[in-house]
Amino acid sequence: MSHPTELSFKTLQFYATAPYPCSYLPDREARSQVAAPSHLIDSATYSSLVEQGFRRSGLFTYRPHCDACRACISIRVDTRRFQPNRTQRKVWNRHQDLQSRILPLHWEAEHFGLYQRYQAGRHPGAGMDEDSQAQYTQFLLTSRVDSRLVEFRAPTGQLLMVSMIDILASGLSSVYTFFDPDAAGSLGTYGVLWQIEQCKSMGLPWLYLGYWIDQSRKMAYKSQFKPYQILQHAVWAEPAQL
């Protein structure tokens, strides 16, 4: 008898979207391959899809499927072998007083206020700085897989950062992180380091960081967490091994 996850995976359909403006590289068009129907994508199925380069935004599970561009490359950090560099050690030590709390996905006005400040401060004019409560909820708080929300607060109780993560069979998937745009000390880097440590504590070998785009300043930082593997030609391997 087939496992329910195997049946779900076999009944998925994959379709390509129409071209749309690329969010990362100017003057380029992008397309995505989408897995559907979304109600068949449970945690186990999604874990298998991530292994094949897929990612999710809310209930939308996709991977790049551009006609003439292969700039988006799936990347995952080898958490068992990860060694922070000097800058990362400084960032980690600087934020040791932050208090983290892992919670189910849920709406909080305080979180949404920080999200709006982050978008306005870090990504003005990108469209997401005008997201409504409904758009925020659909993007970050809607999931059919095993997802968590992580709060990071200063000792005073001030909310400084929020991360959304998915728990996979072989690791954690970093869905999205937003933080106080006025805070010092590279909170985004600390968020990734915290997720690496969380993987280690859970015995999970990989932290999936989504897509690495060398030509995009917003995405190129992901290669700073070494060692890492990238997915090319359906094979995960360190760049020197490809």
Side-chain angles (χ1 to χ4, degrees):
M1 180 179 294
S2 297
H3 189 279
T5 299
E6 294 175 2
L7 291 175
S8 298
F9 201 87
K10 289 178 181 178
T11 55
L12 287 178
Q13 297 181 340
F14 300 89
Y15 66 89
T17 67
Y20 55 88
C22 178
S23 301
Y24 303 106
L25 300 177
D27 304 320
R28 296 198 193 185
E29 287 191 329
R31 297 177 75 197
S32 294
Q33 184 182 50
V34 180
S38 62
H39 70 268
L40 292 181
I41 303 176
D42 58 12
S43 292
T45 303
Y46 183 62
S47 291
S48 296
L49 288 169
V50 171
E51 290 286 338
Q52 299 175 48
F54 282 84
R55 189 159 174 79
R56 74 172 185 87
S57 174
L59 300 181
F60 183 77
T61 302
Y62 69 96
R63 66 182 173 187
H65 192 66
C66 303
D67 295 325
C69 179
R70 297 294 181 269
C72 293
I73 300 173
S74 293
I75 185 170
R76 65 184 186 182
V77 181
D78 185 337
T79 64
R80 292 174 177 172
R81 296 170 53 219
F82 172 75
Q83 294 293 329
N85 60 32
R86 185 166 179 262
T87 299
Q88 290 164 347
R89 288 196 298 271
K90 285 184 176 180
V91 171
W92 178 256
N93 292 332
R94 178 168 187 165
H95 294 298
Q96 284 305 291
D97 62 343
L98 288 187
Q99 300 166 359
S100 62
R101 188 164 64 138
I102 303 174
L103 302 164
L105 297 185
H106 69 285
W107 160 264
E108 278 197 24
E110 184 183 22
H111 297 168
F112 183 54
L114 181 62
Y115 173 82
Q116 290 180 308
R117 287 184 54 215
Y118 171 79
Q119 296 297 346
R122 292 300 182 102
H123 306 294
M128 294 171 71
D129 53 334
E130 299 177 0
D131 277 2
S132 65
Q133 176 180 338
Q135 290 169 314
Y136 167 83
T137 299
Q138 183 180 30
F139 171 43
L140 291 177
L141 303 182
T142 307
S143 172
R144 285 198 175 96
V145 301
D146 193 359
S147 303
R148 298 289 187 275
L149 178 154
V150 189
E151 287 184 345
F152 297 87
R153 293 182 182 272
T156 59
Q158 178 188 2
L159 180 67
L160 292 179
M161 181 164 63
V162 175
S163 294
M164 279 69 175
I165 57 176
D166 291 336
I167 302 174
L168 309 175
S170 63
L172 297 180
S173 175
S174 183
V175 178
Y176 200 76
T177 293
F178 54 91
F179 49 84
D180 185 340
D182 299 321
S186 303
L187 278 172
T189 295
Y190 177 76
V192 175
L193 295 172
W194 184 92
Q195 291 177 36
I196 291 172
E197 289 303 311
Q198 189 68 15
C199 284
K200 290 180 178 181
S201 70
M202 297 172 69
L204 297 172
W206 306 109
L207 174 63
Y208 294 84
L209 292 179
Y211 302 117
W212 168 56
I213 305 172
D214 187 43
Q215 304 99 307
S216 169
R217 182 182 59 82
K218 294 179 184 178
M219 309 293 272
Y221 75 92
K222 299 178 181 183
S223 62
Q224 298 302 309
F225 299 90
K226 300 175 180 179
Y228 62 86
Q229 291 186 344
I230 57 176
L231 180 64
Q232 289 193 313
H233 310 297
V235 175
W236 285 100
E238 293 183 26
Q241 298 172 349
L242 293 171

